[in-house]
Amino acid sequence: MKPHLQMKTTQTMAMTPQLLQSIRLLQLSSLELEQELREALERNVLLEPVEEDEEEPATHEASADDAGAADAEEIVPVSGADAGATAEVEADFDWSSRESWSGGEPPDEDGESWEARIGQPAATDARVAAIEQLQLVVRNEREARLVAAIVEAVDDNGYLGQPLDGIALESGLDPLPAPAEVEAALRLVQSVEPTGFAARDLRECLDLQLQAQPAGTAGLALAARIVDESLDAIAARDFDGLCARYEIDHVDLHAALDLVLSLNPKPGAACAAAAEAALPDLIVSGTPGAWKVELNGERLPRLRVNAMYERALSNQAHRALRDQLQEARWMVRGIEMRHDTLLRTGRAIFERQTAFLERGEEGMAPLTLREIAEAIGMHESTICRVTTNKWVQTPWGVYELKAFFPSQIAMREGDTSGTAVKAMIRRIVNGENPQAPLADGDIMALLARNGIHVARRTVAKYREAMQIPSAKERTPVVGPRRAWMAR
């Protein structure tokens, strides 16, 4: 074929740098966004933060909207989100010389931040606490290196997860520690608090705790024998078999089991560092019929383009500074769009989840990303990004936005959500007679009386997802106490 040139006119969609930046900012959590903005402030001289004690001028239109909203008991728009500012966002970059999104009012009149209401996390974990205690008893550098290798091999639950010969190799000592030397170092590590730390299995963990009990404790000798010889029988709840094996009655057995049940099967978990608190991006407040959704002003970044630098560059053609000015405007615009999308999404969600606000999880309605996307005129992928790692403060606690998209369960009387069914199951279990726990079939029957018809296997699946033990495991040993193996 003879080669030739041909011209065509086609239309394609391209991801501009501005769009890519907006998408990236949209999916960041509040903590990740703070880190992103700190880095932007360091590399761009045209950006500046808005100080906390610096008041931003409110426009006349915003004040009028606020007054009208207060009279109509509607949601008060966040400052900076008035119609004039929105039009300027779409028109040109000149809007970015305004101060950026400032957020709503703090949730309390005294202005106390959300961080100030969160309790301090645990000071340390079990491994750090063990090292601090061992520093007082190690006798030489060799022993210190060996016990440090043992502590490093302990998992979050307090168990030693490696064989001693492997730990000896990893210690890097020359000459290689003998088995007796490693055993001595292990006993030294096991002597620290919490008792049972660095045990190699559950039986050794319980033995260490029983050895630390005061002499003369009721049932101590029998408890030690049962732990050493018949731990599997306790898990199987074979109480009659234990009585026959040790030739004792149920009174003596229960005294020994009470002692075993008082022990901690996960000594390391008690000292584990607390998980980082979830800080809300949205706040839902108000009363039934007058709910208000607003952005959490304590978590919103306050950023703007430096007005003096911007005026100085208006008549300059320095390429590097002009690029920084454009980058600063893109950053402020991206933050503005992120908060606008987040607020619109939150309002659309809670317009459909008002029953949750009034009744809690049992009122959670089934909801899909597509419904919210169609309601605010955006794509499902945008809703997915804006609800990821975003949290909301509700009258029932702090929830991730993803939690308000539960699965749908079809009923003859109408549809309900999986979250609502889980909440009902939890309420039924919490209200059951501790002496006669309800089986999955009984829970299924109680749900059916309330118009919730689900299969028994569905009840079992939801119960296991909530980490609720089965009826057999919830059967008390003595009185209303819960089964130890469910801990």
Side-chain angles (χ1 to χ4, degrees):
M1 295 179 63
K2 183 178 178 180
H4 63 280
L5 297 176
Q6 185 179 7
M7 297 182 64
K8 287 185 177 181
T9 302
T10 60
Q11 290 183 338
T12 59
M13 295 185 64
M15 297 283 283
T16 63
Q18 302 96 308
L19 180 58
L20 289 172
Q21 184 185 53
S22 298
I23 292 175
R24 187 168 57 84
L25 292 175
L26 192 64
Q27 61 191 9
L28 294 179
S29 66
S30 57
L31 295 177
E32 293 171 339
L33 182 62
E34 289 179 4
Q35 178 64 27
E36 178 76 16
L37 297 185
R38 280 195 295 267
E39 295 175 358
L41 288 169
E42 291 176 359
R43 67 173 181 263
N44 195 321
V45 298
L46 296 175
L47 285 173
E48 64 177 4
V50 179
E51 301 298 333
E52 294 183 1
D53 56 351
E54 184 176 354
E55 295 185 359
E56 301 186 58
T59 62
H60 174 73
E61 293 82 2
S63 300
D65 289 344
D66 288 359
D71 294 338
E73 292 187 337
E74 295 178 351
I75 299 172
V76 179
V78 179
S79 61
D82 55 89
T86 304
E88 291 179 3
V89 167
E90 301 299 332
D92 191 60
F93 280 124
D94 292 341
W95 68 271
S96 62
S97 60
R98 292 172 174 257
E99 294 178 351
S100 69
W101 195 288
S102 63
E105 295 297 324
D108 288 339
E109 294 181 358
D110 57 4
E112 183 183 9
S113 65
W114 288 99
E115 292 88 343
R117 304 189 198 124
I118 299 174
Q120 294 297 322
T124 183
D125 65 12
R127 288 181 289 268
V128 176
I131 290 294
E132 292 175 351
Q133 297 173 66
L134 290 168
Q135 288 176 347
L136 304 176
V137 296
V138 291
R139 293 164 293 187
N140 51 59
E141 182 180 356
R142 181 179 176 87
E143 188 176 55
R145 291 178 60 181
L146 189 53
V147 297
I150 294 174
V151 171
E152 289 178 0
V154 176
D155 62 20
D156 293 338
N157 290 327
Y159 287 92
L160 186 63
Q162 290 182 254
L164 294 183
D165 53 355
I167 295 175
L169 290 173
E170 293 182 359
S171 66
L173 294 174
D174 188 20
L176 197 67
E181 185 180 3
V182 182
E183 285 282 354
L186 176 60
R187 288 193 295 272
L188 185 62
V189 174
Q190 290 177 344
S191 66
V192 304
E193 294 291 336
T195 307
F197 180 79
R200 284 163 285 191
D201 53 31
L202 177 60
R203 180 175 284 103
E204 184 178 22
C205 176
L206 300 180
D207 275 335
L208 291 171
Q209 296 181 56
L210 288 173
Q211 293 170 16
Q213 297 291 325
T217 302
L220 180 59
L222 180 59
R225 289 185 61 191
I226 293 176
V227 167
D228 288 336
E229 303 169 0
S230 307
L231 196 57
D232 294 339
I234 299 178
R237 310 182 67 79
D238 185 12
F239 305 132
D240 292 335
L242 288 171
C243 290
R245 178 173 182 175
Y246 295 103
E247 298 180 351
I248 56 176
D249 56 22
H250 283 273
V251 175
D252 293 335
L253 175 64
H254 289 162
L257 291 183
D258 278 344
L259 181 58
V260 175
L261 295 177
S262 67
L263 306 179
N264 185 4
K266 298 179 181 179
C271 299
E276 186 176 4
L279 302 175
D281 300 272
L282 293 171
I283 300 173
V284 182
S285 58
T287 57
W291 297 109
K292 180 171 68 173
V293 182
E294 59 186 354
L295 292 166
N296 183 5
E298 296 291 335
R299 303 303 307 165
L300 292 181
R302 300 162 65 87
L303 198 67
R304 64 186 173 191
V305 179
N306 187 293
M308 183 180 67
Y309 289 167
E310 188 175 22
R311 287 193 299 269
L313 288 174
S314 59
N315 298 322
Q316 300 292 331
H318 195 285
R319 178 63 182 272
L321 291 178
R322 295 293 297 179
D323 288 345
Q324 283 212 341
L325 176 59
Q326 187 179 46
E327 180 185 350
R329 287 170 168 171
W330 286 351
M331 177 62 71
V332 177
R333 178 184 181 183
I335 296 171
E336 194 78 40
M337 294 175 62
R338 176 187 187 272
H339 296 325
D340 177 69
T341 305
L342 179 59
L343 184 60
R344 291 171 60 194
T345 302
R347 289 173 173 175
I349 289 174
F350 289 104
E351 284 176 359
R352 292 156 179 79
Q353 296 290 6
T354 53
F356 163 81
L357 298 175
E358 297 172 1
R359 297 162 46 203
E361 291 186 356
E362 291 190 22
M364 187 88 73
L367 188 63
T368 63
L369 295 174
R370 175 172 294 183
E371 293 180 53
I372 301 301
E374 292 176 351
I376 64 176
M378 292 186 174
H379 195 269
E380 290 180 50
S381 62
T382 302
I383 306 303
C384 181
R385 291 187 182 97
V386 79
T387 55
T388 300
N389 293 325
K390 309 298 189 304
W391 300 81
V392 55
Q393 173 75 35
T394 73
W396 302 94
V398 178
Y399 287 80
E400 189 177 10
L401 280 179
K402 287 283 188 184
F404 295 97
F405 296 91
S407 59
Q408 179 176 342
I409 297 179
M411 301 293 171
R412 284 178 294 184
E413 295 82 359
D415 296 337
T416 188
S417 67
T419 301
V421 175
K422 287 181 181 179
M424 295 177 188
I425 293 174
R426 187 186 302 112
R427 175 171 55 81
I428 290 173
V429 172
N430 290 338
E432 69 184 4
N433 182 358
Q435 301 297 327
L438 298 173
D440 294 339
D442 300 328
I443 297 175
M444 179 187 69
L446 291 175
L447 290 174
R449 294 180 186 176
N450 295 324
I452 308 297
H453 298 276
V454 294
R456 187 191 60 80
R457 62 179 178 273
T458 303
V459 174
K461 180 182 70 173
Y462 286 166
R463 175 181 54 75
E464 292 171 358
M466 293 184 291
Q467 298 183 349
I468 298 176
S470 64
K472 181 179 180 181
E473 294 172 333
R474 298 199 306 273
T475 303
V477 176
V478 178
R481 177 174 296 178
R482 298 287 179 180
W484 170 72
M485 293 307 295
R487 293 169 59 181

